[in-house]
């Protein structure tokens, strides 16, 4: 076994073979005895995958005499459902130099985009002709640009861990910007049009151009 997903199934098969249900146990010594059949690399892989399955809630490890693994409801739902998929233990190939550079550039571009938006907000809020309603709209924009979605996008790009949900969050972010502008920035058509055009351009860039470039570089997007 060389893949994390294969090792995960090897571990979970102990529960399947014992036909245990949620809350029931498999003795850890049974797995320990079978570890002797694995080569050194597989045993190293076992440790990481074993801990990842615990961290993601498929079973728990219990000290004591004897040591045991207790299947959770989540684990039961997975091991007996052929159509189910693991939400962990995914194998990631190391990106090429071109892929890494592209993702690093995309990260920097995204950060610069957010900073330019926040800078523009500060500039418009300082305009003597701006109304209180428009200020409130710009304040809402600031909250969105400093929110959790932006932080998660930045982290995904920084880690080189781009998922389909990352693209979805970028598109959602820009649609939020457009929506806020259309609902709350009313007194200055120039300001409203500026934000709308800026966001729509970014939507097209991120959803179409970026996806095309990712395809060219053979960067596969994870499902979640």
């Amino acid at each position: 076994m060389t893949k994390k997903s294969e090792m995960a199934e090897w571990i979970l098969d102990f529960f399947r073979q014992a036909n245990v249900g949620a809350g029931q146990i498999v003795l850890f010594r049974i797995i320990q005895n079978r570890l002797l059949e694995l080569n050194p690399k597989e045993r190293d892989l076992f440790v990481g995958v074993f801990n990842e399955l615990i961290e993601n809630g498929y079973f728990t490890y219990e000290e004591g005499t004897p040591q045991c693994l207790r299947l959770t409801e989540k684990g039961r739902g997975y091991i007996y459902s052929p159509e189910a998929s693991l939400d962990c233990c995914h194998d990631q190939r190391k990106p090429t130099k071109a892929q890494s550079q592209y993702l690093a550039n995309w990260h920097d571009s995204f950060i610069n985009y957010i900073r330019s938006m926040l800078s523009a907000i500060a500039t418009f809020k300082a305009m003597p002709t701006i109304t209180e309603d428009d200020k409130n709209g710009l304040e809402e924009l600031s909250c969105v640009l400093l929110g959790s979605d932006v932080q998660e996008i930045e982290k995904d790009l920084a880690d080189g861990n781009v998922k389909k949900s990352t693209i979805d969050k970028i598109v959602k972010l820009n649609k939020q910007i457009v929506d806020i502008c259309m609902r709350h920035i009313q007194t200055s058509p120039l300001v409203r049009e500026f934000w709308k055009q800026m966001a729509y351009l970014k939507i097209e860039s991120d959803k179409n151009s970026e996806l095309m470039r990712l395809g060219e570089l053979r960067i596969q997007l994870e499902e979640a």
Side-chain angles (χ1 to χ4, degrees), residues 103-104 106-107 110 152-162 166 170:
L103 292 173
W106 189 3
H107 171 264
F110 179 77
E152 290 170 8
I153 293 167
E154 190 276 332
K155 185 178 186 305
D156 286 348
L157 295 174
D159 295 343
N161 184 30
V162 181
T166 309
I170 292 174

Side-chain angles (χ1 to χ4, degrees), residues 102-142:
Y102 175 72
L103 292 173
N105 291 342
W106 189 3
H107 171 264
D108 293 345
S109 175
F110 179 77
I111 294 300
N112 290 334
Y113 169 58
I114 297 300
R115 287 175 178 169
S116 67
M117 297 281 270
L118 291 170
S119 177
I121 287 172
T123 299
F124 282 122
K125 285 174 70 175
M127 291 171 59
T129 56
I130 198 166
T131 68
E132 199 61 35
D133 286 341
D134 284 359
K135 281 186 179 180
N136 292 336
L138 292 173
E139 190 61 38
E140 187 173 344
L141 280 176
S142 295

